Amino acid sequence: MPKKLRLGILGGGGDSLIGVLHRVASHINDNYIITGAVFNPDFKLNKAFAREIDVPLNRVYTDFDTFIEEEMKLPESERIQVCSVLTPNFLHFPMAKKLLDNGFHVICEKPMTTSLEEAKILQKAHKNAGTVFALTHTYTGYPMVRQMREMIKAGALGKIHKVDAQYYQGWINTIIHDKKKRASVWRLDPKKAGISSCMGDIGVHAFNLIEFTTGLKVQSLLCDFNYLYKENKMDVDGTVLIRMGEHVKGVIRSSQVATGEENGLTIAIYGEKGAFKWEQENPNFLYLLSDTNPTQVFKPGHAYNSKLSLDGTKLPPGHPEGIFDSMANIYLGAARAIRGQKYNDGEFPTMLDGVRGMGFIEATVKSHKAKNTWVKI
Ligand SMILES: NC(=O)c1ccc[n+]([C@@H]2O[C@H](COP(=O)([O-])OP(=O)(O)OC[C@H]3O[C@@H](n4cnc5c(N)ncnc54)[C@H](O)[C@@H]3O)[C@@H](O)[C@H]2O)c1
């Protein structure tokens, strides 16, 4: 068994949403050990949380710059090798860039940056660094999403002509109507979230899922946002028409004010021979629709699944795995890449996905502002 990779964590403190997902996922396949962190900008809270989860306090730093400075003083055999960036969006770029410039491997939350320009700078830094960069579009790690990708690649649907992806949440409905509450949410603050709330936070997952599963690229789009209030600067709902070719079209529907919706990410891909339907809230069922045959249901862990799908399942069929396992699959792929081991294409989203995602987010904002016109990505 190779030694565990020394993992640093930035953000993702006890007060965060996503921290626990990364911590659990990094442990699932026994590849990482959390060695140091800046969980929180408040040093007291930072240390208290480190104590709670047993991270050595001498590797818990006051801030990110000190983290880099102190880690770089350590011999390579002790230094943190890979760092997860789990902070609010505006810190992804400066943190990931400095990590890459100092030779660290990076696992970064989406959206990768707050602009396409930053994304391109990061891409250059990554090329120079030659280290591994994984972007955590969590949903690509699900065995049934991987199965869709592999079967589409093998021609199961024939020519694709229509794609419909939806990501509906409702939680901002409980916040947006109250000015005070609205001001307390970083996702609604352009300085912290970037140019978009809804498309930047969740629409981009739907976009990524489309490109990941179909292997096609969105070439142009037309977007219509809803801000609900004039003084609210951030989209909380948006509908995007997409073109992926002359005869390949679709729609991305995304909302944070879809009242009562929880984490409703769904995708439907229609081709000349069949169609796939999958939903994140029931991730272990993949439906293959046909005009002539009864609907088939694919499930994880069965030998009929592809190598990439089976690689993401740890238990025999009927033992439900979920979002922790999906994220763990991304961590597993990144660990293989960091160790220089062989890994399958599609095991983790890359820098390229990050640049595509930022291109998508910027194009949606541009299209809406230009009174809903078609914009190229
Ligand atoms: N992949 C996914 O499915 C998914 C899901 C949720 C969130 N996210 C992404 O994860 C990121 C974090 O989202 P969240 O919902 O966990 O946010 P959050 O507000 O719940 O948590 C942010 C954490 O970052 C810490 N932090 C803030 N500033 C910091 C600094 N300067 N140094 C160190 N730590 C700092 C906070 O203390 C907190 O612990 C966002 O970019 C978001 O888009 C991704």
Side-chain angles (χ1 to χ4, degrees), residues 10-19 21-22 38-41 86-92 95 109-111 136-139 167 186-187 201 205 323 327:
L10 301 171
D15 57 338
S16 74
L17 184 160
I18 209 66
L21 182 55
H22 284 259
V38 185
F39 291 117
N40 198 291
L86 317 181
T87 57
N89 304 349
F90 73 109
L91 292 168
H92 296 179
M95 287 180 166
E109 261 304 346
K110 45 48 62 179
T136 49
H137 274 297
T138 321
Y139 308 109
Y167 202 151
W186 69 255
R187 282 176 167 85
D201 199 32
H205 273 304
I323 192 148
M327 183 67 98

